[in-house]
């Protein structure tokens, strides 16, 4: 099948389909100032100096994205910042400043004390990544919620890494250990906070205090061999579906390369769960998933930042995502990752 004859894969999620349907109402046209439309990890504003500013925003709602049953207010503030920092990482941008809109839940009786605890976590994240809080808003509502707008910078001469741009010969790489956060969430909700933190501390830590790959994202953006990138916020199956859709190509995942950590295997035994499902469909990982040339070999400097694993390849002969097993058999990989609007 010739590339021009290929059919694009179905929309990778209900959220993606809704955003596509909203495009006629956004009053947007590509320009020298705003070169890319909505749908990537962040918007880009090109400045006259050649510097690019990126803007991204995320909302974190109690009992949807976090729970006070197993997270302190300090941790909630810290985690919300880290999630937004991950969008900077996915674009290859250095974080710069943030706006915080905080909605305090009605059950937070001592509002001043609660706000200070949340901001302690925000401050801890800001000092780690040299980010300034430059404004925001505080209000009250039915539950606790944080909406954070992050601003990042890409130096003149450096390119942003988008979800588009992958080539048919590219390999697919991932940072870190996908599935760890999802496993940590299941440990917390099924075993309880005390037991989970005692028996599976690394899994719980990954879920509650994720580490955005900002240094890695900035380093990858400076390589001409890296063509496309996305962070894993909702799960590998969804992010792969998104990359396949945006690039009008197929992705073949090599099942033999999808390594599962020892703690994940132990938790799988304890919960009678398949750790591969956490790896493939678990969200809130905030690792980086990227397309790179076959000649791309991670340098010692890159590997010192975080382990990198080649887990698949792109193909212009198919659409969607396929899982290839060591015996050569293949099966379509359904998108069972988190979808806000599903």
């Amino acid at each position: 099948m010739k590339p021009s004859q290929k059919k694009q894969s179905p929309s990778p999620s209900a959220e993606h389909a809704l955003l596509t349907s909203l495009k006629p109402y956004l009053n947007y046209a590509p320009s020298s100032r705003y070169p890319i439309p909505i749908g990537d990890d962040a918007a880009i504003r090109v400045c006259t100096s050649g510097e690019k500013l990126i803007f991204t925003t995320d909302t974190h709602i109690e009992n949807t994205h976090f729970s006070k049953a197993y997270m302190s207010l300090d941790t909630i503030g810290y985690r919300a910042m880290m999630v937004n920092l991950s969008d900077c990482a996915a674009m290859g941008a250095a974080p710069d400043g943030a706006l915080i809109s905080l909605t305090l839940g009605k059950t937070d009786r001592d509002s001043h004390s609660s706000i200070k605890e949340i901001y302690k976590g925000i401050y801890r994240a800001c000092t780690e990544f040299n980010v300034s809080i430059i404004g925001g808003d505080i209000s009250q509502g039915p539950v606790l919620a944080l909406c954070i707008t992050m601003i990042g910078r890409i130096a003149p001469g450096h390119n942003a890494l988008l979800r588009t741009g992958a080539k048919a010969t590219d390999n697919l790489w991932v940072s870190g250990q996908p599935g760890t956060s999802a496993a940590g969430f299941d440990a917390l909700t099924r075993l309880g906070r005390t037991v989970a933190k005692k028996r599976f501390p690394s899994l719980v830590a990954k879920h509650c205090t994720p580490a955005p790959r900002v240094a890695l994202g900035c380093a990858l953006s400076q390589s001409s061999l890296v063509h496309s990138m996305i962070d894993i916020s909702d799960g590998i199956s969804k992010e792969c579906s998104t990359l396949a859709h945006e690039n009008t190509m197929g992705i073949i995942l090599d099942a033999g390369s999808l390594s599962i950590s020892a703690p994940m295997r132990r938790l799988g035994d304890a919960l009678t769960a398949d750790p591969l499902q956490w790896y493939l469909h678990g969200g809130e990982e905030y690792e980086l998933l990227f397309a790179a040339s076959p000649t791309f070999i991670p340098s010692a400097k890159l590997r010192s930042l975080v382990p990198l694993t080649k887990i698949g390849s792109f193909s212009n002969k198919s659409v969607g995502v396929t899982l290839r097993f060591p015996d050569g058999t293949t099966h379509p990989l359904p998108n069972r990752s988190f979808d806000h609007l599903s």
Side-chain angles (χ1 to χ4, degrees):
M1 181 182 291
K2 296 180 180 179
S4 60
Q5 297 176 320
K6 285 189 301 176
K7 293 182 179 180
Q8 193 173 42
S9 59
S11 188
S13 67
E15 181 183 8
H16 186 282
L18 175 62
L19 289 175
T20 300
S21 73
L22 291 176
K23 287 184 178 181
Y25 309 100
L26 300 180
N27 192 32
Y28 171 82
S31 66
S32 58
R33 292 180 302 153
Y34 294 102
I36 65 169
I38 65 166
D40 221 295
D41 285 293
I44 297 175
R45 170 62 156 95
V46 179
C47 304
T48 54
S49 64
E51 181 181 59
K52 301 178 185 70
L53 298 179
I54 69 102
F55 298 86
T56 182
T57 187
D58 266 303
T59 301
H60 312 269
I61 303 171
E62 183 178 358
N63 301 324
T64 297
H65 301 95
F66 62 85
S67 171
K68 286 185 284 189
Y70 55 81
M71 286 188 193
S72 67
L73 293 176
D74 172 277
T75 299
I76 290 166
Y78 179 85
R79 186 175 187 273
M81 285 296 296
M82 291 301 183
V83 169
N84 282 76
L85 285 161
S86 184
D87 282 332
C88 284
M91 303 295 288
D96 187 75
L99 300 160
I100 311 289
S101 290
L102 171 63
T103 300
L104 203 64
K106 291 182 178 179
T107 59
D108 296 301
R109 291 188 176 89
D110 188 351
S111 59
H112 285 208
S113 175
S114 295
I115 290 170
K116 286 181 180 178
E117 284 302 307
I118 292 167
Y119 266 84
K120 283 180 183 178
I122 291 172
Y123 176 76
R124 187 155 52 93
C126 287
T127 54
E128 282 187 37
F129 288 91
N130 195 27
V131 175
S132 298
I133 301 301
I134 57 174
D137 179 60
I138 296 175
S139 60
Q140 191 168 46
V143 295
L144 175 62
L146 285 119
C147 181
I148 298 175
T149 298
M150 184 73 66
I151 304 164
R153 296 177 294 106
I154 299 174
H158 293 179
N159 295 318
L161 283 170
L162 309 180
R163 296 179 179 185
T164 55
K167 304 179 186 301
T169 56
D170 280 352
N171 290 319
L172 184 70
W173 291 77
V174 71
S175 68
Q177 171 64 81
T180 307
S181 176
F185 174 77
D186 275 4
L188 286 164
T189 54
R190 295 178 63 180
L191 299 177
R193 180 180 181 180
T194 302
V195 174
K197 290 184 73 173
K198 181 178 181 180
R199 294 180 57 189
F200 302 99
S202 64
L203 304 183
V204 170
K206 177 67 172 179
H207 180 71
C208 294
T209 53
R213 305 305 187 183
V214 173
L216 176 65
C218 290
L220 291 173
S221 72
Q222 297 176 44
S223 171
S224 62
L225 300 178
V226 179
H227 303 138
S228 175
M229 189 156 66
I230 190 172
D231 75 329
I232 306 175
S233 56
D234 295 322
I236 276 188
S237 63
K238 180 182 175 184
E239 316 307 355
C240 282
S241 295
T242 298
L243 288 178
H245 179 84
E246 296 290 358
N247 291 284
T248 320
M249 281 192 285
I251 290 177
I252 302 169
L253 289 178
D254 182 1
S257 298
L258 311 182
S259 60
I260 307 296
S261 71
M264 289 170 63
R265 292 187 185 279
R266 291 202 312 272
L267 180 63
D269 291 340
L271 300 181
T272 318
D274 180 6
L276 183 61
Q277 300 308 305
W278 291 324
Y279 190 108
L280 292 172
H281 309 299
E284 301 188 303
E285 304 295 339
Y286 307 110
E287 297 293 349
L288 296 180
L289 190 68
F290 60 96
S293 165
T295 58
F296 171 79
I297 300 175
S299 65
K301 180 180 178 180
L302 287 178
R303 291 192 182 277
S304 70
L305 296 173
V306 61
L308 298 175
T309 307
K310 182 171 66 176
I311 61 170
S313 58
F314 287 78
S315 171
N316 63 359
K317 297 180 181 179
S318 63
V319 294
V321 185
T322 302
L323 193 60
R324 181 174 57 205
F325 294 91
D327 64 2
T329 59
T330 59
H331 297 285
L333 178 66
N335 174 11
R336 293 181 182 147
S337 298
F338 182 76
D339 188 344
H340 290 276
L341 302 180
S342 177

